[in-house]
Amino acid sequence: MTVVETQDGIRRAPLPNGGSAASPAPSQIYPLAKDVKRRAQAAATVAATHAGPVDAEARFPAEALAAIRAQRLLGILVPVELGGEGASISEMVNVCYVLGRACGSVAMIYAMHQIMVACLVRHAGASAWHNQLLRRLCDEQLLLASSTTEGQGGGDLRKSDCAVVQQGARFTLGKSATVMSYGAQADGIVTTARRAPEAPSTDQVLVALLRQDYSLEHLSAWDTLGMRGTCSAGFRLEAAGKAEQVLPEPYQKIHAHTVMPVAHLAWSAVWAGIAASAAERARLFVRKAARGHGGQLPPGAAHLTRATASLRMLRATVMSGLRRYETAMVEEGGLESLDFQTTMNLLKVNSSELAIAIVSSTLQACGLAGYRNDGEFSVTRHLRDALSSAVMINNDRILGNVANAAMLVEVPALLTD
């Protein structure tokens, strides 16, 4: 489908035979992604209002998700011809950052959803079933959860215990999902599984499920230090559906091309947003303290300097990762190159460590005011949420997996290489 931009700032699909209409049908009108910032900030305002209770009660951020739906942000990555906005990964990552400044749990839910959307957009090919799912996602603003963690494998996304059991044109699937974020609240789940019962654990596929396709049995609760609103409980997943719900491309390719890089970019943006919010609170605290003491800076002011400098580094790290990803997308074999895969894996480690360091510095800058759970300068929620970054696919696991590749990637000869 050819899409044209008109003077009123709206993308329209031309009518057949070059016709025109004063009032095109809704299916022919697609809003531009250029107002994503305004819409993200509107949703973030709601998220910030409810961030405290969501954290304290470890409850799903229903109000924020309602605002995200109202702003129609769940389908921005979907191509225009399927009812979305054709937004770039950079635009989506910016939404994660904006939401992260308001509520880490909301931002992480949004990031996880968009990772699954990116998989469907990029790897479903000409699948009529998945294209219809994307249309529904945009029309109804469906929320997708992911189920990649299971059994004893923990955070190893490249191994599955469960398998797709195909019977003619249908399949069944049973999975012990030890951690499934907002699984009970999602409208659908995208899950990994072995291709068949006889397949090895690394021969995986990705399966898209709608709510009517599965049942969830609650296995474990979610009472954690941070990211409490993600409601990442454990479930027993029992699913049945049509064989066409299995994505046509192998998960190995989906993981390397989309899941890992998009996840690490989106998550890093969330953590950067959390760190930015904490840095802003520290800045306001130092400014207020200085005003109250005749312009004399409080003892913790040096830690604010460290936090802001590190925040610049974190933002630059994420932006560099985005540029590297966009370049790899158009290079022959770029997404599978050893250098790209290593860079994207280490992005997660570096971003998580920087985010924790930044929020820790803001705590020192604010002192007791930051250590308190109440008050306008509290950064306790920010610190607890940021700490999740190091164990969300453990940094040690990533560093161990990358170790062999790191030995093969030569040190650049120039700073600009």
Side-chain angles (χ1 to χ4, degrees):
M1 176 186 296
T2 301
V3 178
V4 296
E5 181 179 341
T6 59
Q7 291 182 347
D8 56 3
I10 291 180
R11 288 176 180 173
R12 287 187 170 88
L15 295 174
N17 304 318
S20 61
S23 300
S27 61
Q28 296 169 312
I29 300 179
Y30 306 94
L32 281 169
K34 64 184 179 183
D35 66 341
V36 163
K37 178 181 178 181
R38 175 189 59 77
R39 291 149 58 195
Q41 289 173 334
T45 298
V46 177
T49 301
H50 299 278
V54 164
D55 174 66
E57 301 165 23
R59 67 170 177 84
F60 182 72
E63 301 88 352
L65 262 293
I68 288 171
R69 284 189 167 103
Q71 297 297 331
R72 303 194 65 77
L73 291 169
L74 292 179
I76 61 171
L77 285 181
V78 178
V80 172
E81 57 267 28
L82 295 178
E85 300 178 49
S88 67
I89 292 296
S90 294
E91 288 174 303
M92 180 273 288
V93 164
N94 264 322
V95 177
C96 292
Y97 176 78
V98 172
L99 293 175
R101 295 189 64 173
C103 175
S105 291
V106 172
M108 188 55 68
I109 290 170
Y110 184 79
M112 291 179 177
H113 163 85
Q114 294 297 352
I115 297 163
M116 296 300 101
V117 174
C119 290
L120 295 174
V121 168
R122 297 184 173 183
H123 301 282
S127 168
W129 193 93
H130 294 102
N131 284 339
Q132 180 59 30
L133 171 58
L134 289 172
R135 288 190 183 93
R136 280 195 59 191
L137 188 149
C138 294
D139 289 344
E140 305 171 33
Q141 290 295 290
L142 302 180
L143 177 66
L144 298 181
S146 64
S147 177
T148 54
T149 304
E150 69 177 302
Q152 301 301 314
D156 191 350
L157 276 61
R158 287 295 292 110
K159 291 182 180 179
S160 290
D161 295 330
C162 69
V164 172
V165 181
Q166 190 165 342
Q167 300 168 330
R170 296 190 61 80
F171 76 90
T172 58
L173 170 66
K175 183 172 190 173
S176 177
T178 48
V179 177
M180 187 192 300
S181 297
Y182 59 97
Q185 295 82 15
D187 301 302
I189 296 171
V190 182
T191 182
T192 49
R194 284 182 292 140
R195 184 177 301 278
E198 63 275 11
S201 61
T202 55
D203 184 7
Q204 299 165 286
V205 292
L206 205 59
V207 186
L209 306 166
L210 286 170
R211 187 173 286 174
Q212 65 267 21
D213 300 324
Y214 60 86
S215 63
L216 296 175
E217 177 189 351
H218 196 268
L219 296 179
S220 59
W222 181 248
D223 187 3
T224 53
L225 184 67
M227 288 294 177
R228 292 168 58 80
T230 62
C231 300
S232 304
F235 298 93
R236 175 67 188 177
L237 170 68
E238 295 290 343
K242 299 177 180 178
E244 59 190 316
Q245 294 174 232
V246 179
L247 270 73
E249 293 188 347
Y251 181 71
Q252 179 179 2
K253 178 179 179 180
I254 297 173
H255 182 85
H257 286 205
T258 302
V259 173
M260 185 274 289
V262 173
H264 289 186
L265 287 165
W267 293 347
S268 295
V270 172
W271 301 326
I274 294 169
S277 177
E280 177 64 6
R281 292 193 177 198
R283 184 183 73 86
L284 294 175
F285 171 81
V286 169
R287 188 171 69 174
K288 182 177 181 178
R291 285 175 175 172
H293 292 83
Q296 182 178 354
L297 293 175
H303 294 289
L304 171 62
T305 304
R306 181 180 290 113
T308 54
S310 297
L311 179 60
R312 291 191 185 97
M313 187 184 303
L314 174 53
R315 293 176 69 248
T317 297
V318 180
M319 290 305 299
S320 175
L322 277 169
R323 287 192 295 270
R324 184 69 183 88
Y325 184 51
E326 290 166 352
T327 300
M329 287 284 291
V330 297
E331 290 179 341
E332 182 70 26
L335 293 173
E336 296 180 354
S337 72
L338 190 60
D339 177 68
F340 171 76
Q341 290 289 312
T342 301
T343 298
M344 288 295 104
N345 269 301
L346 293 180
L347 169 66
K348 187 270 176 184
V349 176
N350 293 334
S351 296
S352 62
E353 291 179 350
L354 275 170
I356 293 170
I358 292 165
V359 183
S360 296
S361 291
T362 67
L363 176 62
Q364 292 177 292
C366 295
L368 182 59
Y371 189 72
R372 296 176 61 96
N373 283 322
D374 56 358
E376 59 182 319
F377 304 118
S378 173
V379 294
T380 59
R381 171 170 55 83
H382 301 74
L383 182 59
R384 289 185 288 103
D385 284 349
L387 286 172
S388 72
S389 64
V391 297
M392 185 177 174
I393 304 183
N394 197 290
N395 282 355
D396 289 341
R397 179 192 295 276
I398 294 176
L399 291 170
N401 291 341
V402 173
N404 288 331
M407 292 189 296
L408 300 176
V409 178
E410 294 183 0
V411 175
L414 298 173
L415 286 173
T416 54
D417 283 351

